[in-house]
Amino acid sequence: MNIHRAETFFIRVAAATMLAFFAILVYLAVADRFVPPSHQQTIDPATVTSTAPFDHPGLVRTGPNTYDAYYVARVFSWSPQNLTIPLGSTVTFYVTSLDVVHGFTIPDEDVNVEVVPGWVSTVKRTFRKPGKLLLLCNQYCGIDHSAMYASVTVK
Amino acid sequence: MKMAIDTSGNHTTTPAENRLVLSHLYVAFGALFIGTTFGLFQTLTRANLMQLPPWFDYYRMLTAHGVLLALVFTTFFITGLATFSVYKTIARERRSLNVGWIAWIVMLAGTLMAAFEILTGGASVLYTFYAPLKASPWFYIGATLLIVGTWIVFLDILLNLKAFRKANPGTAIPLPAFMAAATFVMWFLATLGVAVEMLLLIPWAFGWTSGIDVLLTRMLFWYFGHPLVYFWILGAYIIWYAVVPALLKVPVFSDALTRLAFVLFLVLSLPIGLHHEFVDPGIAARWKLLQTFLTLMVVVPSLMTAFAIFATFEESAAAKGQRGFVNIVRSLPWSDPVFAGCALAMILFIFGGFGGIVNASYAMDILVHNTMWIVGHFHVTVGGPVALTFLAVSYLLVPALTGRKLWSRSLALVQVWLWFVGMSIMSIAMHTQGLLGAPRRSADIAYAGAAVAAQWHPWALVTAAGGVVLLTSVVAFAINLFATIFAGEEGETPFVFAAARPDEPPAPKWVGNLGMWTVVAVLLVVVAYGGAFYDHFRDHVYLVPGLRTW
Ligand code: HEM
Ligand SMILES: [Cu+2]
Ligand SMILES: [Cu+2]
């Protein structure tokens, strides 16, 4: 098979660029633990509301400046509907669904994870800006999907 | 059975063969007309310029839009194109069309069944039908029939290849038929995933099983869903590789490299579906990273394709004595709507490629996942390049198959430009909304006046403006199509696939060995998915009953 010299060069450059991209992703994953949310914990969706800590969704303090936040999604609402987070704290969200798939996102803070019934999703974020933030469902879940939102206040 | 093949692989198809191909294309066009009309209404609804009635809500419409365009329009166009590529380049006396017609009937029956359920509200589950949203079982059965129909098309292709091999031992399959076959090998392997998913969904939708493994259905869906996008793109690539050079009156840049690119797409499309599930729980980050690597590898055949296209342009310009970028571009036949449409489609695809790299970078996915960025991305890939290429080539294909001259060349030229402009406006506005955080798949993006949502509305208006331009383009296409079919002047329109360079040595045997590539593809799938599936079945998974939430 004849491959033109210019094409060989072109493919090499392309392959090298691709390897460089990949190297950056591996570096981020290994050095910074910067990986997408991939928590592996199952939960029985039928008993979520009676299982601690999801029976009392909300904020739990875990350290001087760290918190866990437990959220339960159901068509078409979040609980808690309002959450207040102290400015500057690092929060790990634990989110699960009672019924269908939902999407947990705070667009202002790049929090974004799918919520799959039967599983617990986690995502961690440090809140450095004060304000009243919109938390919304970004995975279609039914007729009132766009009414499924809540608020998070950072102060 | 006697067979003949000239060096370019072209011969004349019979009127009966043409009718079969046209039947595929007509279903595709019907889906396009309905689907894009819904698309415009969606942009207007999100921009708050329109209120949908409760008996035809946004999600019913969006399901119809996604299914009709992403699954019906594309699939029927590609089955038609593949059938045509095979029939035109593999000559057979008294070819039986029975298998072909059975395929078409099964596909159409499935489509009508699924469409009925969607339009009457039994299946507002969007084109991804994520469980445990529970649609009417007839929706899943309809979708399954559509897929089974495409398997029969694949069978028809294989039967023709077999006849060719028997009559021409040792000769490589003509390039267009090879491209069609490689595309369908990939498609067949991909659709096995969604077929297994259907075997879980159908009994559950009937109520025979009490629960569904949600994560498993998502993995099966995306194992199919990513190669689905390559199925669309390979349909366009058949045209870019084998029709565009013919328009420019130059040979295929490299027959061997074209075959190599197609088999690379075949093996590299299958093991990477997890990149659609970067932020799913229950799948370990290492499997996501592994598939990210495989995802990025597709850069190689993609850039081989880009190279071949630019080299083809350069060669055609050189034949006219033109050199240098500006002169090359100027020398191209921009007044030909078929060429102009394909070239504009290629330009859109460059932007699609840029966005794709962002999407594949799994650390960045949280910024764009489930936002309008993604919707912008696939309109500048499937909605732009693929659809525009299909429409442009229709200006050649429909006249060639019907024996009627294209009604208006200038309207066709206006149409492809409107599509390009409309898609650019719409998709830039969608990408921007996404970067500002606007969610996709949402009927109302006001969110009761939340601060962040206030930035989205102006861009939703721009999106709607793009939608208006696009629908104008669709109307122009429809007028030209109907006028050609019903009022076009009778006459021949030659359709030729570009020939290979006469002095090019035949491709090495291994390049064209589809059986071997199938094995490679399956092995890669095992490597890429083995860990994730092993983990999944090791964990104790809860089955979920499912709901109709619309
Ligand atoms: C007139 C042209 C078109 C317009 C105005 C249009 C408009 C839209 C809009 C506004 C959405 C997003 C709605 C949302 O997420 O809430 C959408 C989604 C989509 N469009 Fe289009 N579109 C057009 C053409 C096409 C074409 C030609 C294709 C494919 C061949 C296509 C495939 C899709 C798909 C797959 C979705 C995703 C559906 C989902 O999220 O379930 N569109 N379109
Ligand atoms: Cu939702
Ligand atoms: Cu993909």
PDB file of all heavy atoms in Angstrom, chain A residues 7 10 14 37-40 43 112 114 138 140-141 143 145-146 149, chain B residues 124 218 257 279 282-284 288 303 366 369-370 441-442 448 542 549:
ATOM      1  N   GLU A   7       0.928  12.498   3.690  1.00  0.00           N
ATOM      2  CA  GLU A   7      -0.130  11.906   4.505  1.00  0.00           C
ATOM      3  C   GLU A   7       0.448  11.199   5.730  1.00  0.00           C
ATOM      4  O   GLU A   7      -0.116  11.285   6.822  1.00  0.00           O
ATOM      5  CB  GLU A   7      -0.977  10.920   3.687  1.00  0.00           C
ATOM      6  CG  GLU A   7      -2.051  10.266   4.555  1.00  0.00           C
ATOM      7  CD  GLU A   7      -3.218   9.686   3.796  1.00  0.00           C
ATOM      8  OE1 GLU A   7      -3.081   9.452   2.586  1.00  0.00           O
ATOM      9  OE2 GLU A   7      -4.266   9.461   4.431  1.00  0.00           O
ATOM     10  N   PHE A  10       1.113  13.827   8.184  1.00  0.00           N
ATOM     11  CA  PHE A  10      -0.157  14.335   8.702  1.00  0.00           C
ATOM     12  C   PHE A  10      -0.723  13.392   9.771  1.00  0.00           C
ATOM     13  O   PHE A  10      -1.122  13.808  10.856  1.00  0.00           O
ATOM     14  CB  PHE A  10      -1.096  14.431   7.495  1.00  0.00           C
ATOM     15  CG  PHE A  10      -2.380  15.160   7.721  1.00  0.00           C
ATOM     16  CD1 PHE A  10      -2.394  16.529   7.873  1.00  0.00           C
ATOM     17  CD2 PHE A  10      -3.588  14.470   7.733  1.00  0.00           C
ATOM     18  CE1 PHE A  10      -3.590  17.204   8.040  1.00  0.00           C
ATOM     19  CE2 PHE A  10      -4.787  15.139   7.900  1.00  0.00           C
ATOM     20  CZ  PHE A  10      -4.782  16.513   8.050  1.00  0.00           C
ATOM     21  N   ALA A  14      -1.232  13.998  13.811  1.00  0.00           N
ATOM     22  CA  ALA A  14      -2.547  13.804  14.413  1.00  0.00           C
ATOM     23  C   ALA A  14      -2.459  12.821  15.573  1.00  0.00           C
ATOM     24  O   ALA A  14      -3.001  13.054  16.660  1.00  0.00           O
ATOM     25  CB  ALA A  14      -3.520  13.281  13.362  1.00  0.00           C
ATOM     26  N   PRO A  37     -17.443  11.933  38.143  1.00  0.00           N
ATOM     27  CA  PRO A  37     -18.110  11.218  39.238  1.00  0.00           C
ATOM     28  C   PRO A  37     -18.379   9.774  38.838  1.00  0.00           C
ATOM     29  O   PRO A  37     -18.977   9.527  37.802  1.00  0.00           O
ATOM     30  CB  PRO A  37     -19.415  11.985  39.435  1.00  0.00           C
ATOM     31  CG  PRO A  37     -19.390  13.158  38.531  1.00  0.00           C
ATOM     32  CD  PRO A  37     -18.161  13.124  37.705  1.00  0.00           C
ATOM     33  N   SER A  38     -17.915   8.825  39.631  1.00  0.00           N
ATOM     34  CA  SER A  38     -18.038   7.409  39.268  1.00  0.00           C
ATOM     35  C   SER A  38     -18.279   6.557  40.503  1.00  0.00           C
ATOM     36  O   SER A  38     -17.797   5.431  40.590  1.00  0.00           O
ATOM     37  CB  SER A  38     -16.756   6.942  38.560  1.00  0.00           C
ATOM     38  OG  SER A  38     -16.486   7.725  37.438  1.00  0.00           O
ATOM     39  N   HIS A  39     -19.014   7.082  41.453  1.00  0.00           N
ATOM     40  CA  HIS A  39     -19.233   6.385  42.720  1.00  0.00           C
ATOM     41  C   HIS A  39     -19.929   5.057  42.480  1.00  0.00           C
ATOM     42  O   HIS A  39     -20.820   4.957  41.653  1.00  0.00           O
ATOM     43  CB  HIS A  39     -20.096   7.272  43.607  1.00  0.00           C
ATOM     44  CG  HIS A  39     -20.108   6.859  45.032  1.00  0.00           C
ATOM     45  ND1 HIS A  39     -18.957   6.772  45.780  1.00  0.00           N
ATOM     46  CD2 HIS A  39     -21.127   6.531  45.861  1.00  0.00           C
ATOM     47  CE1 HIS A  39     -19.273   6.397  47.012  1.00  0.00           C
ATOM     48  NE2 HIS A  39     -20.581   6.245  47.086  1.00  0.00           N
ATOM     49  N   GLN A  40     -19.486   4.018  43.217  1.00  0.00           N
ATOM     50  CA  GLN A  40     -20.062   2.690  42.997  1.00  0.00           C
ATOM     51  C   GLN A  40     -20.735   2.196  44.255  1.00  0.00           C
ATOM     52  O   GLN A  40     -20.165   1.404  44.988  1.00  0.00           O
ATOM     53  CB  GLN A  40     -18.978   1.702  42.618  1.00  0.00           C
ATOM     54  CG  GLN A  40     -18.141   2.182  41.492  1.00  0.00           C
ATOM     55  CD  GLN A  40     -17.751   1.033  40.596  1.00  0.00           C
ATOM     56  OE1 GLN A  40     -18.477   0.075  40.410  1.00  0.00           O
ATOM     57  NE2 GLN A  40     -16.582   1.121  40.044  1.00  0.00           N
ATOM     58  N   ILE A  43     -28.166   1.052  46.226  1.00  0.00           N
ATOM     59  CA  ILE A  43     -29.122   1.320  47.304  1.00  0.00           C
ATOM     60  C   ILE A  43     -30.489   0.866  46.807  1.00  0.00           C
ATOM     61  O   ILE A  43     -30.774   0.985  45.615  1.00  0.00           O
ATOM     62  CB  ILE A  43     -29.103   2.830  47.672  1.00  0.00           C
ATOM     63  CG1 ILE A  43     -30.023   3.128  48.852  1.00  0.00           C
ATOM     64  CG2 ILE A  43     -29.502   3.702  46.479  1.00  0.00           C
ATOM     65  CD1 ILE A  43     -29.778   4.507  49.447  1.00  0.00           C
ATOM     66  N   ASN A 112     -22.411  18.356  38.210  1.00  0.00           N
ATOM     67  CA  ASN A 112     -23.193  17.730  37.141  1.00  0.00           C
ATOM     68  C   ASN A 112     -23.034  16.219  37.230  1.00  0.00           C
ATOM     69  O   ASN A 112     -21.950  15.688  37.000  1.00  0.00           O
ATOM     70  CB  ASN A 112     -22.671  18.252  35.793  1.00  0.00           C
ATOM     71  CG  ASN A 112     -23.606  17.959  34.634  1.00  0.00           C
ATOM     72  OD1 ASN A 112     -24.517  17.143  34.752  1.00  0.00           O
ATOM     73  ND2 ASN A 112     -23.368  18.611  33.508  1.00  0.00           N
ATOM     74  N   GLU A 114     -25.344  12.275  36.789  1.00  0.00           N
ATOM     75  CA  GLU A 114     -26.600  11.554  36.540  1.00  0.00           C
ATOM     76  C   GLU A 114     -27.027  10.852  37.829  1.00  0.00           C
ATOM     77  O   GLU A 114     -26.184  10.343  38.581  1.00  0.00           O
ATOM     78  CB  GLU A 114     -26.411  10.495  35.445  1.00  0.00           C
ATOM     79  CG  GLU A 114     -26.041  11.064  34.090  1.00  0.00           C
ATOM     80  CD  GLU A 114     -27.221  11.226  33.133  1.00  0.00           C
ATOM     81  OE1 GLU A 114     -28.329  10.719  33.404  1.00  0.00           O
ATOM     82  OE2 GLU A 114     -27.010  11.875  32.081  1.00  0.00           O
ATOM     83  N   ASN A 138     -31.339  17.923  35.042  1.00  0.00           N
ATOM     84  CA  ASN A 138     -30.974  18.044  33.626  1.00  0.00           C
ATOM     85  C   ASN A 138     -31.055  16.714  32.890  1.00  0.00           C
ATOM     86  O   ASN A 138     -30.421  16.530  31.864  1.00  0.00           O
ATOM     87  CB  ASN A 138     -29.607  18.700  33.457  1.00  0.00           C
ATOM     88  CG  ASN A 138     -28.474  17.783  33.862  1.00  0.00           C
ATOM     89  OD1 ASN A 138     -28.697  16.695  34.380  1.00  0.00           O
ATOM     90  ND2 ASN A 138     -27.252  18.213  33.637  1.00  0.00           N
ATOM     91  N   TYR A 140     -34.119  14.308  31.374  1.00  0.00           N
ATOM     92  CA  TYR A 140     -35.569  14.208  31.187  1.00  0.00           C
ATOM     93  C   TYR A 140     -36.160  13.114  32.083  1.00  0.00           C
ATOM     94  O   TYR A 140     -35.706  11.978  32.063  1.00  0.00           O
ATOM     95  CB  TYR A 140     -35.876  13.895  29.718  1.00  0.00           C
ATOM     96  CG  TYR A 140     -37.319  13.519  29.491  1.00  0.00           C
ATOM     97  CD1 TYR A 140     -38.320  14.467  29.646  1.00  0.00           C
ATOM     98  CD2 TYR A 140     -37.673  12.225  29.139  1.00  0.00           C
ATOM     99  CE1 TYR A 140     -39.650  14.124  29.448  1.00  0.00           C
ATOM    100  CE2 TYR A 140     -38.999  11.877  28.938  1.00  0.00           C
ATOM    101  CZ  TYR A 140     -39.984  12.827  29.098  1.00  0.00           C
ATOM    102  OH  TYR A 140     -41.286  12.487  28.909  1.00  0.00           O
ATOM    103  N   CYS A 141     -37.201  13.498  32.849  1.00  0.00           N
ATOM    104  CA  CYS A 141     -37.765  12.528  33.779  1.00  0.00           C
ATOM    105  C   CYS A 141     -39.285  12.450  33.658  1.00  0.00           C
ATOM    106  O   CYS A 141     -39.922  11.662  34.349  1.00  0.00           O
ATOM    107  CB  CYS A 141     -37.352  12.870  35.207  1.00  0.00           C
ATOM    108  SG  CYS A 141     -37.729  14.564  35.662  1.00  0.00           S
ATOM    109  N   ILE A 143     -43.240  14.645  32.372  1.00  0.00           N
ATOM    110  CA  ILE A 143     -43.941  15.807  31.832  1.00  0.00           C
ATOM    111  C   ILE A 143     -43.552  17.117  32.515  1.00  0.00           C
ATOM    112  O   ILE A 143     -43.481  18.154  31.874  1.00  0.00           O
ATOM    113  CB  ILE A 143     -45.483  15.560  31.873  1.00  0.00           C
ATOM    114  CG1 ILE A 143     -46.231  16.599  31.070  1.00  0.00           C
ATOM    115  CG2 ILE A 143     -45.998  15.495  33.290  1.00  0.00           C
ATOM    116  CD1 ILE A 143     -46.090  16.426  29.583  1.00  0.00           C
ATOM    117  N   HIS A 145     -40.692  17.838  33.967  1.00  0.00           N
ATOM    118  CA  HIS A 145     -39.239  17.839  34.149  1.00  0.00           C
ATOM    119  C   HIS A 145     -38.667  19.241  34.347  1.00  0.00           C
ATOM    120  O   HIS A 145     -37.814  19.461  35.206  1.00  0.00           O
ATOM    121  CB  HIS A 145     -38.618  17.136  32.935  1.00  0.00           C
ATOM    122  CG  HIS A 145     -37.184  17.404  32.718  1.00  0.00           C
ATOM    123  ND1 HIS A 145     -36.231  17.104  33.665  1.00  0.00           N
ATOM    124  CD2 HIS A 145     -36.518  17.944  31.654  1.00  0.00           C
ATOM    125  CE1 HIS A 145     -35.040  17.444  33.182  1.00  0.00           C
ATOM    126  NE2 HIS A 145     -35.194  17.955  31.975  1.00  0.00           N
ATOM    127  N   SER A 146     -39.157  20.213  33.565  1.00  0.00           N
ATOM    128  CA  SER A 146     -38.535  21.540  33.682  1.00  0.00           C
ATOM    129  C   SER A 146     -38.987  22.281  34.946  1.00  0.00           C
ATOM    130  O   SER A 146     -38.477  23.353  35.244  1.00  0.00           O
ATOM    131  CB  SER A 146     -38.803  22.384  32.432  1.00  0.00           C
ATOM    132  OG  SER A 146     -40.184  22.593  32.279  1.00  0.00           O
ATOM    133  N   TYR A 149     -36.752  21.867  40.062  1.00  0.00           N
ATOM    134  CA  TYR A 149     -35.549  22.613  40.446  1.00  0.00           C
ATOM    135  C   TYR A 149     -35.647  23.005  41.914  1.00  0.00           C
ATOM    136  O   TYR A 149     -36.713  22.926  42.522  1.00  0.00           O
ATOM    137  CB  TYR A 149     -35.335  23.829  39.547  1.00  0.00           C
ATOM    138  CG  TYR A 149     -36.505  24.775  39.464  1.00  0.00           C
ATOM    139  CD1 TYR A 149     -36.663  25.791  40.403  1.00  0.00           C
ATOM    140  CD2 TYR A 149     -37.446  24.655  38.446  1.00  0.00           C
ATOM    141  CE1 TYR A 149     -37.741  26.658  40.329  1.00  0.00           C
ATOM    142  CE2 TYR A 149     -38.528  25.517  38.357  1.00  0.00           C
ATOM    143  CZ  TYR A 149     -38.673  26.518  39.315  1.00  0.00           C
ATOM    144  OH  TYR A 149     -39.730  27.367  39.257  1.00  0.00           O
TER     145      TYR A 149
ATOM    146  N   SER B 124     -43.496   8.845  25.363  1.00  0.00           N
ATOM    147  CA  SER B 124     -42.722  10.093  25.462  1.00  0.00           C
ATOM    148  C   SER B 124     -41.449   9.840  26.263  1.00  0.00           C
ATOM    149  O   SER B 124     -41.257  10.358  27.363  1.00  0.00           O
ATOM    150  CB  SER B 124     -43.566  11.188  26.112  1.00  0.00           C
ATOM    151  OG  SER B 124     -44.678  11.471  25.296  1.00  0.00           O
ATOM    152  N   ARG B 218     -28.652   1.165  30.188  1.00  0.00           N
ATOM    153  CA  ARG B 218     -27.915   2.347  29.700  1.00  0.00           C
ATOM    154  C   ARG B 218     -26.619   1.932  29.011  1.00  0.00           C
ATOM    155  O   ARG B 218     -26.245   2.493  27.978  1.00  0.00           O
ATOM    156  CB  ARG B 218     -27.597   3.296  30.863  1.00  0.00           C
ATOM    157  CG  ARG B 218     -28.826   4.014  31.401  1.00  0.00           C
ATOM    158  CD  ARG B 218     -28.526   4.701  32.717  1.00  0.00           C
ATOM    159  NE  ARG B 218     -27.707   5.904  32.578  1.00  0.00           N
ATOM    160  CZ  ARG B 218     -28.182   7.102  32.284  1.00  0.00           C
ATOM    161  NH1 ARG B 218     -29.472   7.271  32.067  1.00  0.00           N
ATOM    162  NH2 ARG B 218     -27.378   8.146  32.201  1.00  0.00           N
ATOM    163  N   LEU B 257      -6.473   3.226   0.921  1.00  0.00           N
ATOM    164  CA  LEU B 257      -6.608   3.981   2.171  1.00  0.00           C
ATOM    165  C   LEU B 257      -8.072   4.220   2.514  1.00  0.00           C
ATOM    166  O   LEU B 257      -8.433   4.320   3.683  1.00  0.00           O
ATOM    167  CB  LEU B 257      -5.859   5.309   2.076  1.00  0.00           C
ATOM    168  CG  LEU B 257      -4.340   5.177   2.129  1.00  0.00           C
ATOM    169  CD1 LEU B 257      -3.676   6.532   1.967  1.00  0.00           C
ATOM    170  CD2 LEU B 257      -3.902   4.538   3.443  1.00  0.00           C
ATOM    171  N   VAL B 279     -20.545  10.671  33.489  1.00  0.00           N
ATOM    172  CA  VAL B 279     -20.975  11.054  34.838  1.00  0.00           C
ATOM    173  C   VAL B 279     -22.046  10.107  35.377  1.00  0.00           C
ATOM    174  O   VAL B 279     -22.798  10.466  36.276  1.00  0.00           O
ATOM    175  CB  VAL B 279     -21.434  12.532  34.917  1.00  0.00           C
ATOM    176  CG1 VAL B 279     -20.293  13.456  34.528  1.00  0.00           C
ATOM    177  CG2 VAL B 279     -22.640  12.798  34.054  1.00  0.00           C
ATOM    178  N   GLY B 282     -21.765   4.065  39.282  1.00  0.00           N
ATOM    179  CA  GLY B 282     -21.759   2.621  39.077  1.00  0.00           C
ATOM    180  C   GLY B 282     -20.795   2.130  38.025  1.00  0.00           C
ATOM    181  O   GLY B 282     -20.700   0.932  37.789  1.00  0.00           O
ATOM    182  N   ILE B 283     -20.076   3.039  37.360  1.00  0.00           N
ATOM    183  CA  ILE B 283     -19.080   2.613  36.371  1.00  0.00           C
ATOM    184  C   ILE B 283     -17.756   3.228  36.798  1.00  0.00           C
ATOM    185  O   ILE B 283     -17.646   4.453  36.941  1.00  0.00           O
ATOM    186  CB  ILE B 283     -19.458   3.078  34.954  1.00  0.00           C
ATOM    187  CG1 ILE B 283     -20.840   2.542  34.570  1.00  0.00           C
ATOM    188  CG2 ILE B 283     -18.409   2.630  33.943  1.00  0.00           C
ATOM    189  CD1 ILE B 283     -21.389   3.118  33.284  1.00  0.00           C
ATOM    190  N   ALA B 284     -16.750   2.371  37.034  1.00  0.00           N
ATOM    191  CA  ALA B 284     -15.494   2.861  37.590  1.00  0.00           C
ATOM    192  C   ALA B 284     -14.799   3.798  36.620  1.00  0.00           C
ATOM    193  O   ALA B 284     -14.851   3.618  35.398  1.00  0.00           O
ATOM    194  CB  ALA B 284     -14.583   1.681  37.928  1.00  0.00           C
ATOM    195  N   LYS B 288     -13.890   4.234  32.188  1.00  0.00           N
ATOM    196  CA  LYS B 288     -14.203   5.435  31.403  1.00  0.00           C
ATOM    197  C   LYS B 288     -12.932   5.976  30.747  1.00  0.00           C
ATOM    198  O   LYS B 288     -12.951   6.387  29.584  1.00  0.00           O
ATOM    199  CB  LYS B 288     -14.834   6.496  32.306  1.00  0.00           C
ATOM    200  CG  LYS B 288     -16.196   6.072  32.880  1.00  0.00           C
ATOM    201  CD  LYS B 288     -16.740   7.082  33.873  1.00  0.00           C
ATOM    202  CE  LYS B 288     -18.082   6.631  34.436  1.00  0.00           C
ATOM    203  NZ  LYS B 288     -18.549   7.501  35.548  1.00  0.00           N
ATOM    204  N   LEU B 303      -8.717  11.928  10.272  1.00  0.00           N
ATOM    205  CA  LEU B 303      -7.809  12.814   9.563  1.00  0.00           C
ATOM    206  C   LEU B 303      -7.350  12.209   8.236  1.00  0.00           C
ATOM    207  O   LEU B 303      -7.031  12.936   7.306  1.00  0.00           O
ATOM    208  CB  LEU B 303      -6.650  13.217  10.466  1.00  0.00           C
ATOM    209  CG  LEU B 303      -7.124  14.187  11.563  1.00  0.00           C
ATOM    210  CD1 LEU B 303      -5.998  14.620  12.458  1.00  0.00           C
ATOM    211  CD2 LEU B 303      -7.795  15.425  10.974  1.00  0.00           C
ATOM    212  N   ILE B 366     -18.121  17.272  32.669  1.00  0.00           N
ATOM    213  CA  ILE B 366     -19.076  17.868  33.613  1.00  0.00           C
ATOM    214  C   ILE B 366     -19.503  19.269  33.190  1.00  0.00           C
ATOM    215  O   ILE B 366     -20.566  19.726  33.561  1.00  0.00           O
ATOM    216  CB  ILE B 366     -18.520  17.948  35.058  1.00  0.00           C
ATOM    217  CG1 ILE B 366     -17.091  18.471  35.041  1.00  0.00           C
ATOM    218  CG2 ILE B 366     -18.627  16.627  35.765  1.00  0.00           C
ATOM    219  CD1 ILE B 366     -16.621  18.902  36.408  1.00  0.00           C
ATOM    220  N   HIS B 369     -22.032  18.151  29.944  1.00  0.00           N
ATOM    221  CA  HIS B 369     -22.940  17.004  29.948  1.00  0.00           C
ATOM    222  C   HIS B 369     -24.392  17.445  30.129  1.00  0.00           C
ATOM    223  O   HIS B 369     -24.702  18.229  31.030  1.00  0.00           O
ATOM    224  CB  HIS B 369     -22.542  16.054  31.082  1.00  0.00           C
ATOM    225  CG  HIS B 369     -23.327  14.781  31.090  1.00  0.00           C
ATOM    226  ND1 HIS B 369     -23.052  13.745  30.226  1.00  0.00           N
ATOM    227  CD2 HIS B 369     -24.394  14.390  31.815  1.00  0.00           C
ATOM    228  CE1 HIS B 369     -23.918  12.770  30.433  1.00  0.00           C
ATOM    229  NE2 HIS B 369     -24.745  13.131  31.392  1.00  0.00           N
ATOM    230  N   ASN B 370     -25.265  16.929  29.267  1.00  0.00           N
ATOM    231  CA  ASN B 370     -26.697  17.239  29.322  1.00  0.00           C
ATOM    232  C   ASN B 370     -27.021  18.721  29.193  1.00  0.00           C
ATOM    233  O   ASN B 370     -28.099  19.160  29.593  1.00  0.00           O
ATOM    234  CB  ASN B 370     -27.350  16.699  30.605  1.00  0.00           C
ATOM    235  CG  ASN B 370     -27.636  15.218  30.482  1.00  0.00           C
ATOM    236  OD1 ASN B 370     -27.605  14.671  29.384  1.00  0.00           O
ATOM    237  ND2 ASN B 370     -27.922  14.575  31.585  1.00  0.00           N
ATOM    238  N   ARG B 441     -33.202  19.223  26.660  1.00  0.00           N
ATOM    239  CA  ARG B 441     -34.399  18.451  26.975  1.00  0.00           C
ATOM    240  C   ARG B 441     -35.249  19.118  28.058  1.00  0.00           C
ATOM    241  O   ARG B 441     -35.666  18.465  29.015  1.00  0.00           O
ATOM    242  CB  ARG B 441     -34.018  17.047  27.446  1.00  0.00           C
ATOM    243  CG  ARG B 441     -33.299  16.259  26.397  1.00  0.00           C
ATOM    244  CD  ARG B 441     -32.948  14.878  26.862  1.00  0.00           C
ATOM    245  NE  ARG B 441     -32.792  13.990  25.719  1.00  0.00           N
ATOM    246  CZ  ARG B 441     -32.472  12.712  25.808  1.00  0.00           C
ATOM    247  NH1 ARG B 441     -32.286  12.165  26.985  1.00  0.00           N
ATOM    248  NH2 ARG B 441     -32.359  11.968  24.745  1.00  0.00           N
ATOM    249  N   SER B 442     -35.456  20.411  27.901  1.00  0.00           N
ATOM    250  CA  SER B 442     -36.257  21.125  28.874  1.00  0.00           C
ATOM    251  C   SER B 442     -37.205  22.036  28.115  1.00  0.00           C
ATOM    252  O   SER B 442     -36.770  22.814  27.269  1.00  0.00           O
ATOM    253  CB  SER B 442     -35.338  21.928  29.797  1.00  0.00           C
ATOM    254  OG  SER B 442     -36.070  22.416  30.879  1.00  0.00           O
ATOM    255  N   ALA B 448     -38.238  30.058  36.785  1.00  0.00           N
ATOM    256  CA  ALA B 448     -38.808  31.050  37.689  1.00  0.00           C
ATOM    257  C   ALA B 448     -37.881  32.241  37.898  1.00  0.00           C
ATOM    258  O   ALA B 448     -37.759  32.764  39.006  1.00  0.00           O
ATOM    259  CB  ALA B 448     -39.188  30.401  39.024  1.00  0.00           C
ATOM    260  N   TYR B 542     -30.093  -3.477  42.172  1.00  0.00           N
ATOM    261  CA  TYR B 542     -31.533  -3.477  42.446  1.00  0.00           C
ATOM    262  C   TYR B 542     -32.311  -3.290  41.149  1.00  0.00           C
ATOM    263  O   TYR B 542     -31.987  -2.416  40.352  1.00  0.00           O
ATOM    264  CB  TYR B 542     -31.894  -2.356  43.421  1.00  0.00           C
ATOM    265  CG  TYR B 542     -31.358  -2.614  44.796  1.00  0.00           C
ATOM    266  CD1 TYR B 542     -30.129  -2.106  45.181  1.00  0.00           C
ATOM    267  CD2 TYR B 542     -32.071  -3.416  45.683  1.00  0.00           C
ATOM    268  CE1 TYR B 542     -29.620  -2.376  46.437  1.00  0.00           C
ATOM    269  CE2 TYR B 542     -31.566  -3.691  46.938  1.00  0.00           C
ATOM    270  CZ  TYR B 542     -30.332  -3.167  47.309  1.00  0.00           C
ATOM    271  OH  TYR B 542     -29.834  -3.444  48.544  1.00  0.00           O
ATOM    272  N   THR B 549     -44.294   8.633  33.396  1.00  0.00           N
ATOM    273  CA  THR B 549     -44.282   9.920  34.104  1.00  0.00           C
ATOM    274  C   THR B 549     -44.723  11.069  33.201  1.00  0.00           C
ATOM    275  O   THR B 549     -44.348  12.211  33.423  1.00  0.00           O
ATOM    276  CB  THR B 549     -42.871  10.223  34.631  1.00  0.00           C
ATOM    277  OG1 THR B 549     -41.969  10.157  33.517  1.00  0.00           O
ATOM    278  CG2 THR B 549     -42.449   9.243  35.694  1.00  0.00           C
TER     279      THR B 549
END
